[in-house]
Amino acid sequence: MPRSLTFATIMAVFAAFSAVAQSQDSNAPAPPAPSQDSAPPAETKKPKKVWTNDDVPRSNGGVSVVGDPKNKPKPTSSKPVDAQYVASVRKQLDKLQGQVADIDKQLVDLKNFSEGEPSTSASGMKLHKSYSSEPIEVQMRALRNKKRDLESKIDVLLDEARKKGVESSQLR
């Protein structure tokens, strides 16, 4: 009997606490309603005019399509570029692009070798090359890094030439 009495007492206390908690939640003040004196900010703003093609001929002022005439682009100087400099840059570009093409061929050869396919070189044997004990992935990664370096040198060379007034069509 004492067990059931203890259990009943615990249940009664628990029910009382939950009822008090629920009554406090229901008696909580509601959030204050917005006052009727303050108008919403959206109503105070003037709506923007949406222009269509039909409205343009009826407008009183001119419509600027291009922009301010004050901000005209400055004309580029038409100084003749040194032909010797252009030839030098073209020669350097050809050399770098040839090295990039060689690296591309080496990458294709290594990829074909790793897949078990024959080499793309004419004879298939390179007597002037030595045996490399590096894994193919390492060799390919080194070649890709070298190619990236060469491409960045090409970009720097082209940027320098552009800054000196050489157009890309002159370097072809």
Side-chain angles (χ1 to χ4, degrees):
M1 183 95 161
R3 241 175 156 179
S4 62
L5 186 60
T6 308
F7 181 71
T9 309
I10 292 174
M11 291 301 287
V13 171
F14 181 70
F17 281 129
S18 64
V20 170
Q22 287 178 358
S23 67
Q24 286 178 354
D25 289 342
S26 63
N27 292 339
S35 64
Q36 294 176 354
D37 295 337
S38 64
E43 293 177 318
T44 59
K45 291 183 180 179
K46 184 178 178 183
K48 292 185 178 183
K49 171 72 173 155
V50 177
W51 289 83
T52 62
N53 289 340
D54 297 333
D55 296 331
V56 174
R58 288 185 264 148
S59 66
N60 294 337
V63 177
S64 174
V65 177
V66 180
D68 289 334
K70 299 174 188 173
N71 297 334
K72 290 183 181 178
K74 297 178 182 177
T76 58
S77 61
S78 58
K79 293 187 271 183
V81 181
D82 186 20
Q84 185 178 10
Y85 176 73
V86 172
S88 170
V89 170
R90 188 179 304 137
K91 183 178 177 183
Q92 291 174 3
L93 282 174
D94 288 342
K95 179 182 174 186
L96 291 172
Q97 289 170 344
Q99 290 175 352
V100 169
D102 289 342
I103 289 175
D104 286 337
K105 288 178 186 176
Q106 291 175 5
L107 284 170
V108 169
D109 281 343
L110 285 173
K111 182 180 176 198
N112 288 344
F113 178 76
S114 68
E115 294 174 353
E117 296 177 12
S119 174
T120 58
S121 60
S123 66
M125 294 187 76
K126 298 180 183 176
L127 299 176
H128 63 284
K129 297 287 184 177
S130 63
Y131 177 76
S132 176
S133 62
E134 290 182 336
I136 294 174
E137 294 82 22
V138 173
Q139 293 178 31
M140 291 178 74
R141 189 178 320 121
L143 285 173
R144 286 187 193 116
N145 290 339
K146 187 174 180 181
K147 180 180 176 182
R148 191 178 315 119
D149 291 342
L150 289 173
E151 288 172 343
S152 68
K153 287 180 183 179
I154 290 172
D155 290 340
V156 168
L157 191 62
L158 289 173
D159 285 342
E160 182 181 317
R162 181 186 50 81
K163 289 178 183 176
K164 291 188 178 183
V166 179
E167 294 181 14
S168 62
S169 62
Q170 293 174 327
L171 296 174
R172 293 185 188 146

